[in-house]
Amino acid sequence: MFSILQPLKGYCYILVAISTIFSAQTVHGQSKKPNIIFILGDDIGYEALGVNGAKSYSTPNLDAMAKQGMNFTECHSSPLCSPSRFLLLTGKDNFRNYTEWGVMDTSQRTIGNMLRYAGYKTACFGKWQLDGGAPSINRLGFDSYCVWHAFAADEDEEYGARYKNPKLYANGEKIDEHKTAGKYGEDIFTDSVINFIERNKTSPFFIYYPMVLGHEPCQPTPDDTVYASWSFPKRNDTSFFPSMVKYMDKKIGQIISKVNELGIQKNTIIIYCGDNGTAPDLKEYLNNDSLIWGGKGATNEMGTHVPMIVYWPGTVAAGKTNNDLIAFTDFLPTFADIAGIERPTNYGALDGVSFAPRLKNGAGTPREWIFYHYDHHPGINPFKRWAQTNTYKLYDTCSTSAVRKFYNIEKDINEKNPLSDASLTPAEKEIKEELLEVITEHIAEGAPIFRKSALSNVTDSSVVITDSIEINGGSTITSSGIVWNIFPNPTVSSCSHTSNGPAKGKLQATIKNLKANTTYYIRAYAVNYAGTTYSNQLSFKTPMHNPVATPATLIDTGKFTANWKPVSNASTYKLDVSTSSVFSVNKPVVFRKGFDHGLKDPQCWQYSYDLCEDYTSYASAAPSIDFEESKASIITRVLDGYATELSFWIKGIGTNAASYLLVEGFKDTGWITIKKYTNLPTTGTTEIINTSSNPVLPSHITQFRFTYTKSAGTLAFDDVAMTYLAATPSFVAGYNNVTVNGTSENVIGLQPGKTYYYRVRAVDASSDTSLNSNTITTLTKIKSQSLADAIIPASVFPNPANSNATIIFKADGKYQITMMNIVGKILLHKTGVSSSEINNVPIDIGNYAKGVYLIMVTDEKNNRQLIELDKE
């Protein structure tokens, strides 16, 4: 049985002091710290190396490394690349610092920072994927670099090639694409590594080389005959994966050869490791004829079990196999011991355990368990937590399971058969209890994590704040809410706060009863066993009290007087008048997207991985886009209004009746099906969906998704056009944000008998403004002749009236009667009424409020008479 390592505060584990073992090496008569080269294969699972049993893949250099060094059989990573990089670079479990995919906060400190401070020359070559470009890479400890994926939000990096014709950044600048045209990304990175070694061979150096091989898309390498003609940066063909593994191995061999050539091999430790399991669409038959599928993204053995080889001639004995548990947090303390330096005390809590003593077959303090907190897209994906030994694994209760599942991972690597408590041996029960103790200990370590607070709907007395809380390390949130004050950094213990927030997920609250024209500081908070965490602090100033618009007066045929109540501190007001109640009109706008420049998309389009550019089948311009794999999809940007028409060009290439394109629209809060296209056309066809098509385009669609389900062949796609109604401001000429003194304004130049709307804002001496007031509706009068000369001799009796009145006519004919209130709301509407009926039709106004009502009488020749009826 194993015992739990007792952590000091912050899980800085008690480790054996071994700095004297690796404090110095003697080379050419000079004492210097060992060089460190850390090579990270991308999506290379444990089974992908020949030394670990692979039959399909050729890895002679890595196999030789293992024979001449030490092969670790139980190294475990996170299931995906971004969280794995956080673990290995910082030496911290993900719950301590991992809050966003592919973005490491530059307040973190890494192996690069530690070794640079100790006098090492530091460099990073390969796949960065931690965002931020030069400032981030330098801040996180690397002076020299040449990387792919320098900026997570950069479209060129996000969608640019990493293999042939790569798009790279080096030392602060994007490399001119002409310089990388025809070149292979991994060649550039390896050359950079070798050049760095040559330049710094007399100084201690640290190279972090996260390779781009063998991440999908699987594509030919320069050693493949089709490489020269290959021009599809996104196409994925898994038949090339063995070639990619072989080329990766070749590049590693070149680095080893250079180290040997320079005669520094005895003072250079080279570590190779995979970052997570192999892609799930790749399979391998091992020497024992067992079939292994890649498990990238899964938390089982196939997702986390990775190869690890340490090569250090003269220090690490050749041909050794090590079965110790290795976690990705272990590299930072190990490198500190290898370099003979103190482990950092100012980096925050560290979780790694040094395996440096084991490299010389020392006793050391091998791990007896590993704990992982996996939350690869915090705030989006449910997290998982587990603790494991070499043989057993216990999952914690989390958002996807209410049961702590326990597995024998030697016998059940795919974790299909959890062990029931009734089936456990006494030894297994003890192991399960100790793993549960590991999980429980970590619960108190994870302070809550906030995504980022945001404010909306700021009024003169209220505000809405939103955020998202993540449970961290497994510790349940016991209380959460919002805290605010007129002074910075409000706390729960001293300021106004709410306390009814969630235990996990979206936190939203409306804060009311605020003072107008006042600056407030506000932030979210959450409490768990680790303490109280506050979100980022926001400040805002409430506007002045909103003015209250009152009904218009002096209404005439082409004018009225707008009125409002005064606001204290306001010296002037801003008045808007419109013929629209929302002060805007909807105008049709067409957004067109051809793929003339391939997959360089407008901002906020989303492309799935399995798309490529097709220069042979296209509509108005080359290229079109091919949906190559089943479930490949394109999601358009969000429109600025509701769609009224959608058109796009499609062509089926070798498709059959079972292949289809699904077109969906985003309506309100989710995706709905618009149309499923089967029997895809074999000649290019433009499809149109609108309000008169079959089926019709649903209302309130703001975004479209196109998903191809493949049975055979590919689907070419081009020329998307989306027509939508965009809101355009609509104001009466001269009354758009017009400055007004006083609390009323004569609005002139209007049309008789038309409905108008007005609203007002207050402005104080410091130019601060309130929000808009309520909106007032006004119907201008229609100019009519006197009763004696009226074309329609009609009158109302009695007028004024309390309850009932009657329209009196003196001419025969058929008429239309419309009765409205002063803001234009129709209360009564009759058509085709004869004069004999009219003479006897009463108008009941008993339930109406006091005021003026308008009765419009129209004859068959469209002559009109407007009569005012006063309700007493």
Side-chain angles (χ1 to χ4, degrees):
M1 297 306 99
F2 65 93
S3 61
I4 303 300
L5 294 177
Q6 295 301 313
L8 300 176
K9 184 177 181 181
Y11 278 85
C12 295
Y13 296 101
I14 301 173
L15 304 173
V16 176
I18 57 163
S19 59
T20 56
I21 298 176
F22 296 104
S23 60
Q25 298 288 332
T26 302
V27 178
H28 304 304
Q30 295 182 339
S31 177
K32 58 177 289 190
K33 298 180 184 298
N35 306 312
I36 302 172
I37 302 174
F38 186 88
I39 304 172
L40 187 68
D42 200 351
D43 292 359
I44 302 294
Y46 182 81
E47 79 287 354
L49 272 58
V51 68
N52 294 333
K55 294 173 64 175
S56 304
Y57 309 131
S58 174
T59 56
N61 292 297
L62 285 168
D63 297 348
M65 273 184 68
K67 290 178 182 178
Q68 298 167 25
M70 185 175 290
N71 187 30
F72 285 79
T73 64
E74 289 294 338
C75 181
H76 290 265
S77 68
S78 171
L80 283 179
C81 45
S82 177
S84 286
R85 282 158 173 75
F86 273 67
L87 291 166
L88 74 90
L89 286 173
T90 66
K92 300 179 181 181
D93 286 326
N94 282 152
F95 68 78
R96 299 194 191 279
N97 56 18
Y98 187 72
T99 58
E100 188 172 354
W101 172 264
V103 180
M104 181 180 283
D105 192 305
T106 54
S107 66
Q108 294 297 322
R109 289 295 172 264
T110 71
I111 295 172
N113 295 113
M114 177 184 72
L115 293 177
R116 181 170 64 182
Y117 183 77
Y120 277 71
K121 302 294 184 181
T122 60
C124 174
F125 305 113
K127 174 182 172 180
W128 178 241
Q129 202 188 28
L130 297 174
D131 201 16
S136 169
I137 298 172
N138 295 150
R139 177 74 171 162
L140 294 173
F142 300 98
D143 292 320
S144 299
Y145 66 88
C146 177
V147 298
W148 176 81
H149 213 317
F151 299 92
D154 186 318
E155 288 180 6
D156 284 343
E157 289 304 300
E158 183 72 18
Y159 299 105
R162 71 189 81 189
Y163 296 128
K164 189 175 183 180
N165 307 320
K167 296 184 178 180
L168 308 178
Y169 280 77
N171 301 323
E173 296 183 355
K174 184 177 180 180
I175 299 178
D176 191 308
E177 293 182 19
H178 292 93
K179 295 181 179 179
T180 61
K183 291 184 170 59
Y184 191 68
E186 208 70 86
D187 288 342
I188 295 174
F189 298 138
T190 304
D191 289 347
S192 299
V193 170
I194 290 172
N195 289 335
F196 186 83
I197 293 172
E198 289 179 331
R199 293 196 311 272
N200 296 282
K201 59 188 176 183
T202 60
S203 302
F205 60 78
F206 167 58
I207 298 173
Y208 170 50
Y209 181 15
M211 304 182 80
V212 291
L213 285 168
H215 196 292
E216 293 183 338
C218 295
Q219 295 181 348
T221 72
D223 288 348
D224 292 299
T225 57
V226 298
Y227 175 78
S229 61
W230 190 268
S231 61
F232 304 101
K234 303 292 282 186
R235 181 170 290 177
N236 184 50
D237 186 339
T238 56
S239 67
F240 288 113
F241 185 69
S243 175
M244 294 167 70
V245 172
K246 184 177 181 180
Y247 203 80
M248 173 193 70
D249 182 82
K250 176 182 177 179
K251 296 286 100 179
I252 294 170
Q254 291 173 357
I255 294 171
I256 296 173
S257 295
K258 175 55 64 173
V259 170
N260 293 337
E261 174 190 322
L262 295 174
I264 59 174
Q265 67 271 26
K266 289 189 176 182
N267 198 48
T268 302
I269 179 172
I270 302 175
I271 297 180
Y272 173 82
C273 200
D275 69 344
N276 50 249
T278 310
D281 55 352
L282 297 167
K283 62 182 178 181
E284 167 64 355
Y285 285 95
L286 302 184
N287 288 332
N288 61 5
D289 292 328
S290 61
L291 173 63
I292 297 293
W293 283 94
K296 174 182 178 179
T299 58
N300 60 27
E301 286 288 282
M302 304 320 301
T304 67
H305 192 194
V306 294
M308 176 181 162
I309 301 171
V310 177
Y311 173 74
W312 193 359
T315 300
V316 174
K320 295 294 183 180
T321 298
N322 187 297
N323 299 319
D324 291 350
L325 277 171
I326 304 295
F328 260 40
T329 55
D330 295 344
F331 294 110
L332 187 146
T334 300
F335 291 173
D337 288 343
I338 288 172
I341 61 178
E342 294 292 331
R343 267 157 269 170
T345 58
N346 59 344
Y347 284 15
L350 300 176
D351 298 289
V353 176
S354 174
F355 56 82
R358 306 292 285 165
L359 300 178
K360 288 181 67 73
N361 290 324
T365 53
R367 281 182 171 274
E368 296 181 344
W369 50 264
I370 288 175
F371 170 84
Y372 270 134
H373 173 98
Y374 175 56
D375 197 2
H376 72 280
H377 280 290
I380 301 174
N381 297 86
F383 60 85
K384 290 185 178 180
R385 297 179 303 274
W386 67 90
Q388 70 175 82
T389 66
N390 290 42
T391 307
Y392 293 96
K393 185 173 186 179
L394 177 66
Y395 283 94
D396 186 23
T397 302
C398 67
S399 56
T400 59
S401 175
V403 179
R404 289 189 171 100
K405 294 184 178 181
F406 186 50
Y407 296 95
N408 183 322
I409 52 179
E410 280 189 353
K411 298 179 180 179
D412 183 16
I413 64 171
N414 292 313
E415 298 175 10
K416 299 293 185 182
N417 303 297
L419 303 174
S420 66
D421 286 345
S423 69
L424 300 182
T425 66
E428 287 175 331
K429 289 180 180 179
E430 185 176 347
I431 292 173
K432 182 177 181 180
E433 290 173 0
E434 290 176 326
L435 288 177
L436 180 58
E437 183 180 342
V438 172
I439 291 172
T440 303
E441 289 290 335
H442 279 80
I443 286 177
E445 284 293 296
I449 293 175
F450 286 98
R451 298 290 288 168
K452 189 173 182 180
S453 292
L455 300 178
S456 61
N457 299 337
V458 181
T459 73
D460 57 358
S461 61
S462 65
V463 66
V464 175
I465 180 171
T466 56
D467 209 315
S468 183
I469 307 174
E470 291 305 309
I471 297 175
N472 196 358
S475 182
T476 302
I477 306 297
T478 56
S479 177
S480 70
I482 308 297
V483 58
W484 67 97
N485 204 330
I486 59 174
F487 301 108
N489 302 315
T491 62
V492 175
S493 60
S494 62
C495 301
S496 299
H497 65 277
T498 67
S499 59
N500 56 349
K504 184 180 187 291
K506 185 177 181 180
L507 169 63
Q508 179 171 311
T510 300
I511 309 304
K512 299 180 179 180
N513 301 318
L514 302 177
K515 293 182 179 179
N517 208 26
T518 302
T519 298
Y520 285 90
Y521 299 88
I522 190 169
R523 52 186 181 172
Y525 75 91
V527 181
N528 68 0
Y529 294 113
T532 301
T533 296
Y534 293 95
S535 71
N536 58 306
Q537 176 177 269
L538 299 175
S539 64
F540 65 96
K541 185 177 182 180
T542 53
M544 295 178 296
H545 287 300
N546 298 345
V548 176
T550 57
T553 56
L554 301 178
I555 303 169
D556 210 332
T557 55
K559 63 183 180 181
F560 62 81
T561 298
N563 304 293
W564 54 90
K565 295 180 180 179
V567 176
S568 60
N569 299 325
S571 55
T572 57
Y573 298 87
K574 297 287 187 177
L575 174 67
D576 296 325
V577 181
S578 176
T579 56
S580 167
S581 60
V582 292
F583 296 83
S584 65
V585 294
N586 290 326
K587 293 187 176 180
V589 175
V590 180
F591 180 87
R592 301 183 186 278
K593 170 60 180 173
F595 296 96
D596 304 354
H597 301 289
L599 287 162
K600 291 183 178 179
D601 56 89
Q603 188 175 13
C604 297
W605 285 57
Q606 299 176 49
Y607 295 144
S608 72
Y609 204 71
D610 300 311
L611 299 173
C612 72
E613 299 164 8
D614 184 346
Y615 287 84
T616 61
S617 299
Y618 53 89
S620 59
S624 65
I625 300 302
D626 266 13
F627 292 87
E628 287 201 311
E629 300 294 334
S630 190
K631 304 305 180 182
S633 67
I634 290 177
I635 302 177
T636 71
R637 54 167 253 193
V638 178
L639 303 177
D640 298 323
Y642 294 132
T644 58
E645 184 173 278
L646 167 69
S647 67
F648 53 91
W649 180 94
I650 55 174
K651 177 183 178 181
I653 304 173
T655 57
N656 59 18
S659 300
Y660 64 89
L661 174 69
L662 181 65
V663 180
E664 299 169 285
F666 194 88
K667 179 174 181 177
D668 300 327
T669 59
W671 293 99
I672 63 170
T673 297
I674 297 175
K675 186 172 181 178
K676 180 179 177 180
Y677 287 86
T678 57
N679 297 315
L680 297 166
T682 56
T683 57
T685 303
T686 298
E687 301 289 343
I688 299 175
I689 306 173
N690 54 30
T691 56
S692 59
S693 62
N694 184 19
V696 299
L697 180 67
S699 61
H700 294 84
I701 298 296
T702 56
Q703 193 176 15
F704 294 98
R705 178 166 67 187
F706 307 91
T707 304
Y708 173 60
T709 297
K710 176 180 179 177
S711 175
T714 64
L715 175 66
F717 182 82
D718 206 353
D719 293 338
V720 180
M722 298 172 289
T723 304
Y724 61 94
L725 294 177
T728 301
S730 175
F731 298 97
V732 172
Y735 296 98
N736 176 11
N737 210 32
V738 63
T739 301
V740 178
N741 294 314
T743 57
S744 65
E745 177 72 5
N746 293 325
V747 180
I748 61 175
L750 309 177
Q751 297 181 26
K754 194 165 186 177
T755 301
Y756 291 89
Y757 306 85
Y758 68 85
R759 64 189 183 189
V760 64
R761 291 182 299 147
V763 184
D764 71 4
S766 63
S767 297
D768 285 335
T769 60
S770 70
L771 300 178
N772 285 313
S773 70
N774 56 312
T775 300
I776 293 294
T777 309
T778 302
L779 177 67
T780 54
K781 292 184 178 180
I782 296 178
K783 187 175 181 180
S784 61
Q785 297 165 301
S786 65
L787 185 60
D789 299 327
I791 297 175
I792 304 174
S795 62
V796 175
F797 181 84
N799 191 3
N802 287 322
S803 56
N804 294 320
T806 304
I807 299 178
I808 300 174
F809 267 71
K810 296 181 180 179
D812 293 333
K814 288 191 179 269
Y815 302 94
Q816 175 178 289
I817 303 171
T818 303
M819 180 176 170
M820 301 165 285
N821 62 15
I822 196 66
V823 297
K825 181 179 180 180
I826 296 176
L827 307 174
L828 172 68
H829 184 67
K830 283 193 170 187
T831 60
V833 182
S834 65
S835 60
S836 60
E837 292 173 330
I838 289 175
N839 286 330
N840 299 309
V841 175
I843 299 176
D844 185 1
I845 60 173
N847 294 325
Y848 297 151
K850 293 182 180 180
V852 177
Y853 295 87
L854 305 175
I855 299 175
M856 180 76 70
V857 182
T858 306
D859 67 12
E860 293 173 295
K861 296 181 180 180
N862 209 33
N863 296 315
R864 295 182 178 181
Q865 166 79 326
L866 182 67
I867 306 170
E868 289 188 7
L869 172 60
D870 294 329
K871 166 69 186 296
E872 291 183 333

